[in-house]
Amino acid sequence: MTDNSAIAQYIAKLERRGRLPDDDREKLLRIPGVVKEHAAGDVIIANNVPSEHCVVVQSGFVSRVRTLHRGARQIVAFHLPGDAVDLQNLLFTRTDHQIQAHAPTRTFWIAHKDLWSLTDQCQVLAKALWLDTLVDASIFREWTANIGQRRAPARIAHLFLELAARFAAIGMVRNRTFSCPLTQTAFSEALGLSLVHFNKSLQTLKRAGFISTKHSITIEKPDDLVAMSGFDPTYLHLDASRVVDLVEAADA
Amino acid sequence: MTDNSAIAQYIAKLERRGRLPDDDREKLLRIPGVVKEHAAGDVIIANNVPSEHCVVVQSGFVSRVRTLHRGARQIVAFHLPGDAVDLQNLLFTRTDHQIQAHAPTRTFWIAHKDLWSLTDQCQVLAKALWLDTLVDASIFREWTANIGQRRAPARIAHLFLELAARFAAIGMVRNRTFSCPLTQTAFSEALGLSLVHFNKSLQTLKRAGFISTKHSITIEKPDDLVAMSGFDPTYLHLDASRVVDLVEAADA
DNA sequence: CGGGTGCTTGATCTCTATCAACTGGTGTGG
DNA sequence: CCACACCAGTTGATAGAGATCAAGCACCCG
């Protein structure tokens, strides 16, 4: 039996928003798949290739990258352990962006058709997956607003708070500190900033005592950061507040 | 019987990506709802209110707006006739952004619970709606990349080409010309630019002969615009290419 | 006619990108 | 074991993009 701990983590994530029926949970847990390993920097799924699998992160750290003109790259999403990376492509036949590892990463691969037939059997699960893609969309919107409206320091702060909240949700924050394998280049590609400007703005935040970094990131003054960046974690939908109860709704 | 032409247009949009079973189509067409009218500038759905309806645009022009610190606004999406605006909130209990009319607009309001119970009866339709939200997410990603990586003239060109493609899909482009009721302020809020800078960059595009505007927008040099902005309409998923066949997939 | 709204323009200043160089750590191969 | 390359991070100088401030114009509408 392949190691399906990625699925267990993913189910835990879904169930933070609302319980699944036992039957749906069991079936998802038993879904066939294979585990793959990737080194830091590896391209996990290339751009513009047939899309036939869903990938769930088991460990490590992953991003989605759109490549534009002359090598300009925009990271459009980050994914932590327990995140489903490729649900976005479940209904598309080709990928429209690239998936990349930023650390040694283990992933669990599910064939689209297997997940597809599961959603036909499990209506509540299908809704939970749909909900998960809606949460992703909510995060995309927030990134658009972050990049469009905030200037560098607040923009950086907002992303750091998002990462802190998401790492916290999977128990990977201790003493307001989490370790995140991203280079400054990667951060700058996610934030629409140049590397140099990111570096300098980050130092501004450090000098102000808002955060500190030594191989990991520490949120030293959460309140000040929240105030300066206007961070409101609602858009992450990490728990059941503001989310419909899928089981009750199914009965209605 | 209320005028459900908005639903008919929405079905047409969904079916450009793949046919629905007759039964699903008929049921959606018969879904109960009410028509509302809005003046230009009206807030159709406010931010942070209970989310109980899905809104489909029948005529006019609508945007979704996130409001940040000190009145900074980011438009995160535009919606044309035949677009479902609020599917994004179908699974959330409160709205996390505002919906606003930019022209005299007519909308069709469906209660969440009605749409919900329909998706329980119609599996293919449920998938089509899910797919529609995935297309929205794809557009959000593209906007993130557009705002993050392109500078003003290319950024503007990219948005204009998106609007041209979407208006063309509903037959509202003649001679490379479409009418779009957005003010320059609205454009600047969508693009993360200041009004003044948008205005000046737009004039650069006009002087280059790439576009012209007089109460409507004309794409004078499509090829040049595509080249300078790197526009590739795939992300809009306006047709069935690159999209799974929902009926076949249901049989698999 | 007056006032509002949307568009335009110029001047100025700030933010951010770009260019270039340098540091320190890590790893590799001769 | 050292030389070397490479990569992430850092720093300074400069240029350009874009924001902000301030006015003025054109049009529509009451």
Side-chain angles (χ1 to χ4, degrees):
Chain A
M1 172 89 197
T2 53
D3 175 3
N4 67 348
S5 64
I7 302 295
Q9 290 178 74
Y10 184 53
I11 290 172
K13 178 187 174 185
L14 294 180
E15 293 207 295
R16 259 171 246 131
R17 302 197 190 108
R19 252 178 98 75
L20 294 174
D22 294 343
D23 191 51
D24 290 22
R25 185 189 315 111
E26 289 309 313
K27 279 186 175 140
L28 179 53
L29 204 52
R30 287 194 170 72
I31 200 164
V34 298
V35 174
K36 295 193 184 180
E37 304 221 13
H38 319 272
D42 280 5
V43 172
I44 297 178
I45 299 181
N47 188 26
N48 198 21
V49 298
S51 167
E52 291 166 347
H53 296 272
C54 284
V55 166
V56 181
V57 181
Q58 180 181 328
S59 64
F61 199 96
V62 154
S63 74
R64 302 202 245 166
V65 191
R66 281 237 38 183
T67 304
L68 307 177
H69 57 102
R70 289 175 266 124
R73 291 155 45 91
Q74 175 70 41
I75 293 180
V76 294
F78 289 127
H79 289 292
L80 283 56
D83 285 353
V85 179
D86 223 22
L87 275 185
Q88 298 294 333
N89 284 323
L90 180 59
L91 296 160
F92 300 144
T93 54
R94 289 192 157 256
T95 58
D96 66 351
H97 53 268
Q98 196 181 30
I99 295 171
Q100 195 171 344
H102 289 269
T105 294
R106 204 167 263 134
T107 52
F108 187 87
W109 292 56
I110 308 166
H112 276 180
K113 64 172 172 48
D114 290 331
L115 193 58
W116 194 264
S117 64
L118 202 57
T119 60
D120 286 333
Q121 301 164 41
C122 307
Q123 300 237 348
V124 174
L125 176 63
K127 299 271 166 64
L129 296 179
W130 185 5
L131 176 56
D132 199 40
T133 63
L134 285 172
V135 171
D136 274 358
S138 172
I139 297 175
F140 293 146
R141 286 196 296 274
E142 197 66 26
W143 279 39
T144 299
N146 194 34
I147 295 173
Q149 298 299 325
R150 283 189 266 260
R151 42 197 60 174
R155 204 187 295 179
I156 295 168
H158 197 275
L159 177 59
F160 280 16
L161 287 169
E162 173 180 321
L163 288 172
R166 292 172 64 186
F167 272 114
I170 56 174
M172 289 177 71
V173 174
R174 296 267 176 280
N175 299 324
R176 301 189 314 281
T177 303
F178 58 97
S179 92
C180 176
L182 293 169
T183 64
Q184 297 195 355
T185 301
F187 275 119
S188 67
E189 286 172 352
L191 290 164
L193 296 169
S194 72
L195 167 61
V196 173
H197 194 56
F198 174 83
N199 178 289
K200 288 173 180 171
S201 303
L202 179 61
Q203 289 179 47
T204 307
L205 290 174
K206 287 183 188 172
R207 270 195 301 275
F210 287 174
I211 58 171
S212 62
T213 66
K214 49 168 101 154
H215 284 262
S216 56
I217 298 170
T218 304
I219 307 293
E220 298 288 359
K221 299 185 179 174
D223 298 343
D224 289 329
L225 278 173
V226 166
M228 78 166 294
S229 71
F231 180 74
D232 172 353
T234 309
Y235 74 94
L236 295 170
H237 295 283
L238 292 169
D239 56 34
S241 67
R242 295 183 166 230
V243 169
V244 296
D245 183 318
L246 296 170
V247 178
E248 266 191 27
D251 296 340
Chain B
M1 173 89 196
T2 53
D3 174 4
N4 67 348
S5 64
I7 301 296
Q9 290 179 74
Y10 183 53
I11 290 172
K13 178 187 174 185
L14 294 180
E15 293 207 296
R16 259 171 247 131
R17 302 197 190 109
R19 253 179 97 74
L20 295 174
D22 294 343
D23 190 51
D24 290 23
R25 185 189 315 110
E26 289 308 313
K27 280 188 173 138
L28 179 53
L29 204 51
R30 287 194 170 70
I31 200 165
V34 298
V35 173
K36 294 193 186 180
E37 304 222 14
H38 320 273
D42 279 6
V43 172
I44 297 178
I45 299 181
N47 188 28
N48 197 22
V49 297
S51 168
E52 291 165 347
H53 296 272
C54 285
V55 167
V56 180
V57 181
Q58 179 182 327
S59 64
F61 200 97
V62 153
S63 74
R64 304 203 242 166
V65 191
R66 281 236 38 181
T67 304
L68 307 177
H69 58 102
R70 291 176 263 122
R73 290 155 46 91
Q74 174 71 41
I75 292 180
V76 293
F78 289 128
H79 290 291
L80 283 57
D83 285 354
V85 180
D86 223 22
L87 275 185
Q88 298 293 333
N89 285 322
L90 180 59
L91 296 159
F92 300 145
T93 54
R94 289 192 155 254
T95 59
D96 66 351
H97 51 270
Q98 198 180 23
I99 294 170
Q100 195 172 344
H102 290 267
T105 294
R106 205 167 262 134
T107 53
F108 187 87
W109 292 56
I110 308 166
H112 276 180
K113 64 171 173 44
D114 291 331
L115 193 57
W116 194 263
S117 64
L118 201 57
T119 61
D120 286 333
Q121 301 163 43
C122 308
Q123 299 236 348
V124 175
L125 176 63
K127 298 272 166 62
L129 296 179
W130 185 4
L131 175 57
D132 199 40
T133 64
L134 286 171
V135 171
D136 274 358
S138 173
I139 297 175
F140 293 147
R141 287 196 295 275
E142 198 65 28
W143 279 40
T144 299
N146 194 34
I147 295 174
Q149 299 299 324
R150 285 189 265 261
R151 43 191 66 167
R155 204 186 295 177
I156 295 168
H158 196 276
L159 177 58
F160 280 16
L161 288 169
E162 173 180 321
L163 288 172
R166 292 172 63 186
F167 272 113
I170 56 174
M172 290 178 72
V173 175
R174 295 269 176 279
N175 299 324
R176 302 189 315 281
T177 303
F178 57 97
S179 91
C180 177
L182 293 169
T183 64
Q184 296 196 357
T185 301
F187 275 120
S188 67
E189 286 172 351
L191 290 164
L193 296 169
S194 71
L195 166 62
V196 172
H197 194 56
F198 173 83
N199 178 288
K200 289 174 180 171
S201 303
L202 178 61
Q203 289 180 48
T204 306
L205 289 173
K206 286 183 189 172
R207 269 196 303 274
F210 287 173
I211 58 172
S212 62
T213 66
K214 49 169 102 158
H215 285 261
S216 56
I217 298 171
T218 303
I219 307 294
E220 300 287 359
K221 300 185 179 173
D223 298 344
D224 290 328
L225 278 173
V226 166
M228 78 165 294
S229 70
F231 181 74
D232 172 353
T234 309
Y235 74 94
L236 294 170
H237 296 282
L238 291 170
D239 57 32
S241 68
R242 293 182 169 233
V243 168
V244 297
D245 184 318
L246 297 171
V247 178
E248 268 192 23
D251 296 339

